[in-house]
Amino acid sequence: MWLQLIFLSLMSLVSITYLVGQTPDSSRVKITHEIDVNFLFSYYQQDGNHSAVTGGMGSEKLEDLASILVVNVPLDSSRTLTVSGGLTYYSSASNDNIDFRVSSASKKEFRGDLDLTLSKYNAATGTTRKYQFGASLDVDYLSTSLGYGWTKLWPSPNRQLSFNGKFYFDSWVWLIYPEELRGTERAQVPTNKRLTYNLSIDYSWTINKRLQAAIIAEPTYQHGLLSTPFHRVFLADSLGTFLETLPQDRFKLPLALRLHYFAGDFIVMRFYYRFFVDSWGIKAHTVNLEVPFKFGPTFTVFPFYRYHTQSAANYFAPFQTHRFGERYYTSDFDLSDLHSHRYGLGVRFTPLKGIARFKWSKRKLTEFKGFELRYANYQREDGLDAWNISVNTSFVIR
Amino acid sequence: MRGLPFRSNPVMLRILTILLAITALGACQTVEPYQRVYLNDEDMLLQQRPSAFNEINAANYREGAAGAIGGKSGGGCGCN
């Protein structure tokens, strides 16, 4: 399976490289700039003992193998098309427990997504407009999105303001209930749709020659089926299995600050803080610090640490704690009172003039631009442990 | 003092203080293009690294908070 995925990803890379390489001959679009190609490969693994599928107790073992290809194609001097495609293969032990009768070590599924963004820069006004369309498909879940963005850049003093609005229309293609509830009156949800309205406001500015900052607000409103139809809840009253039930509305407000400081000639401090509050009663604080050390102009090592703390949602209670008669139930520990730590190390190699040049067509030269490897370990205080390794390689086509 | 709106909410008071401090820092100096050698460094970009994409995605699902960090903050069931 892994080999298939790697092969598919490489074939996609070759195909897109070949296609964009043909563009000057096959269309009237005139390419005047370099084409950037980024290929991200990532493996994630987690394990814990608080699966929401089995009511807050049970295996959370999950493996996730993702490959994402992002291609930036300048169409002319002002317009750029960004195509992003991803394929994810995952194997989930908890999802296998939706149905106890058909048991295996874990359930294996695929998810695919595609995102297209057209950007148009207006040099006279210093503004960029973005139009976006995206779609992703799980085995049982379809998500489509439309977006519009506006960015203005002021050169003196250096400031930038962005607004990005996005609308997601999601639906469960099949509503899969826990097997013991199928055909009973407890296996009911009000809708299979989920709508998300998202607005991101980002203001960034240069403070001095070594320091720049950004503040970000991203209010988000969701409406529809916000629970998961195969999440179980077991009550203290021992009345059997119930479905997770959550409100059909949720308003989320994250506010973030980012500060990047170049200290000396070889060290950068990348600081990030986020405050989050939502209408379900969660308040959270997240701090992230990353310190890249530069060993010459081409090689960088960056250790990082992230701490997150949050209060529980009003509707959360652990395994066999909810009482019959409550309006909403969930035993999903993602919504619990928790602290988490993530730490890791990354390395980046960016040769000054590029290496490993090769040609896919007579007129186009592809050049290896850079390579980034990153490992992260994640620990949640309820015992969930995870690790992730990612490789990002970038190429440029001239 | 009783009338202060954030007196009963220390978290909001702290956030307001930080935002005010940042606003004060916003009285920034103009940096000419030839002085941008540090600011133009790849590590100074005010965004998450592409290689962190999957970590952010996982955190969005494993924690109740999401958004304001780049990447997707909606769409997808997050059910595994």
Side-chain angles (χ1 to χ4, degrees), chain A residues 218 265 272 290 294 372 378, chain B residues 38 43 49 51 63 68 73:
Chain A
E218 195 170 334
D265 287 335
Y272 174 84
E290 186 182 302
K294 296 180 174 299
E372 194 168 289
Y378 178 82
Chain B
Y38 294 115
D43 289 314
R49 297 177 184 279
S51 60
E63 295 164 355
S73 51

Side-chain angles (χ1 to χ4, degrees), chain A residues 3 7 47 53 74 103 111 113 115 122 159 177 195 197 241 245 260-261 263 276 285 317 345 351 369:
Chain A
L3 283 173
F7 177 73
D47 202 1
V53 177
S103 186
R111 177 173 54 244
D113 53 81
D115 201 275
N122 185 330
R159 290 163 293 146
Y177 298 107
L195 307 178
Y197 305 87
T241 308
T245 309
H260 289 185
Y261 178 63
F276 174 94
H285 301 271
L345 189 73
K369 193 176 155 192

Side-chain angles (χ1 to χ4, degrees), chain A residues 40 42 44 46 68 90 95 141 143 156 158 168 170 194 198 204-210 212-213 218 228 230 250 254 256-258 260 262 265 268 270 272 274-276 285 290 292 294 300 302 306 308 310 334 340 342 348 372 374 376 378 380 388 390, chain B residues 9 11-12 15 18-19 22-23 25-32 35-39 41-80:
Chain A
L40 176 68
S42 184
Y44 170 84
Q46 72 170 42
I68 300 164
Y90 61 90
N95 281 12
Y141 197 91
S143 173
S156 181
N158 315 100
Y168 293 90
D170 295 5
R194 178 185 298 175
N198 173 256
S204 58
W205 71 102
T206 299
I207 295 166
N208 59 42
K209 285 182 277 188
R210 290 175 178 271
Q212 53 192 359
E218 195 170 334
T228 303
F230 50 79
R250 188 180 184 189
L257 163 69
R258 194 182 279 284
H260 289 185
F262 209 118
D265 287 335
V268 180
R270 288 164 60 94
Y272 174 84
R274 178 181 67 191
F275 171 73
F276 174 94
H285 301 271
E290 186 182 302
K294 296 180 174 299
T300 305
F302 51 97
R306 175 185 181 272
H308 173 83
Q310 71 180 44
D334 301 346
S340 69
R342 186 169 73 207
R348 192 179 71 241
E372 194 168 289
R374 180 184 176 101
Y378 178 82
R380 209 169 70 175
N388 186 88
S390 299
Chain B
N9 193 335
V11 174
M12 288 303 291
I15 290 163
I18 290 168
L19 288 176
I22 294 303
T23 310
L25 283 172
C28 51
Q29 64 185 77
T30 298
V31 180
E32 302 299 337
Q35 296 175 310
R36 297 184 63 84
V37 59
Y38 294 115
L39 297 173
D41 188 273
E42 193 172 345
D43 289 314
M44 289 293 282
L45 284 174
L46 290 163
Q47 60 192 38
Q48 270 294 344
R49 297 177 184 279
S51 60
F53 176 84
N54 222 29
E55 285 168 35
I56 295 169
N57 207 25
N60 284 347
Y61 292 151
R62 291 294 77 89
E63 295 164 355
I69 195 166
K72 277 177 95 169
S73 51
C77 63
C79 47
N80 50 68

Side-chain angles (χ1 to χ4, degrees), chain A residues 136-148:
Chain A
S136 71
L137 179 64
D138 253 281
V139 172
D140 53 353
Y141 197 91
L142 174 67
S143 173
T144 50
S145 65
L146 282 173
Y148 173 76

Side-chain angles (χ1 to χ4, degrees), chain A residues 1 6 22 28 45 51 58 75 86 140 150 152 157 166 181 204 260 270 276 293 334 348 359 364 374:
Chain A
M1 189 64 76
I6 293 166
Q22 296 299 308
R28 288 184 297 168
Q45 188 182 84
S51 171
L75 302 177
D140 53 353
W150 178 90
K152 182 164 176 68
K166 219 164 181 182
L181 294 184
S204 58
H260 289 185
R270 288 164 60 94
F276 174 94
F293 292 90
D334 301 346
R348 192 179 71 241
K359 282 190 170 186
K364 289 289 171 185
R374 180 184 176 101

Side-chain angles (χ1 to χ4, degrees), chain A residues 202-385:
Chain A
D202 184 328
Y203 179 68
S204 58
W205 71 102
T206 299
I207 295 166
N208 59 42
K209 285 182 277 188
R210 290 175 178 271
L211 179 63
Q212 53 192 359
I215 47 176
I216 308 135
E218 195 170 334
T220 300
Y221 172 71
Q222 292 184 295
H223 177 74
L225 182 59
L226 303 184
S227 60
T228 303
F230 50 79
H231 281 181
R232 293 177 174 91
V233 173
F234 296 104
L235 308 188
D237 317 71
S238 299
L239 295 170
T241 308
F242 282 74
L243 277 191
E244 177 183 74
T245 309
L246 288 166
Q248 288 190 59
D249 297 281
R250 188 180 184 189
F251 179 73
K252 301 191 269 192
L253 181 62
L255 300 168
L257 163 69
R258 194 182 279 284
L259 274 175
H260 289 185
Y261 178 63
F262 209 118
D265 287 335
F266 308 107
I267 300 174
V268 180
M269 314 280 278
R270 288 164 60 94
F271 172 80
Y272 174 84
Y273 166 76
R274 178 181 67 191
F275 171 73
F276 174 94
V277 64
D278 76 359
S279 59
W280 288 5
I282 294 178
K283 276 186 187 167
H285 301 271
T286 308
V287 179
N288 192 82
L289 181 64
E290 186 182 302
V291 186
F293 292 90
K294 296 180 174 299
F295 296 92
T298 61
F299 192 68
T300 305
V301 176
F302 51 97
F304 55 87
Y305 172 73
R306 175 185 181 272
Y307 174 73
H308 173 83
T309 179
Q310 71 180 44
S311 60
N314 298 333
Y315 320 112
F316 170 81
F319 182 73
Q320 287 190 335
T321 310
H322 277 294
R323 291 279 175 188
F324 182 72
E326 289 176 31
R327 191 170 177 195
Y328 300 113
Y329 310 101
T330 180
S331 294
D332 184 350
F333 273 71
D334 301 346
L335 301 174
S336 68
D337 182 358
L338 62 86
H339 304 267
S340 69
H341 304 270
R342 186 169 73 207
Y343 51 88
L345 189 73
V347 291
R348 192 179 71 241
F349 174 63
T350 26
L352 283 177
K353 292 185 177 178
I355 55 171
R357 300 175 184 199
F358 50 94
K359 282 190 170 186
W360 296 106
S361 72
K362 289 179 182 174
R363 298 176 63 176
K364 289 289 171 185
L365 177 71
T366 302
E367 190 176 285
F368 174 69
K369 193 176 155 192
F371 167 88
E372 194 168 289
L373 174 69
R374 180 184 176 101
Y375 172 82
N377 199 299
Y378 178 82
Q379 291 171 342
R380 209 169 70 175
E381 75 165 350
D382 70 321
L384 184 131
D385 290 330

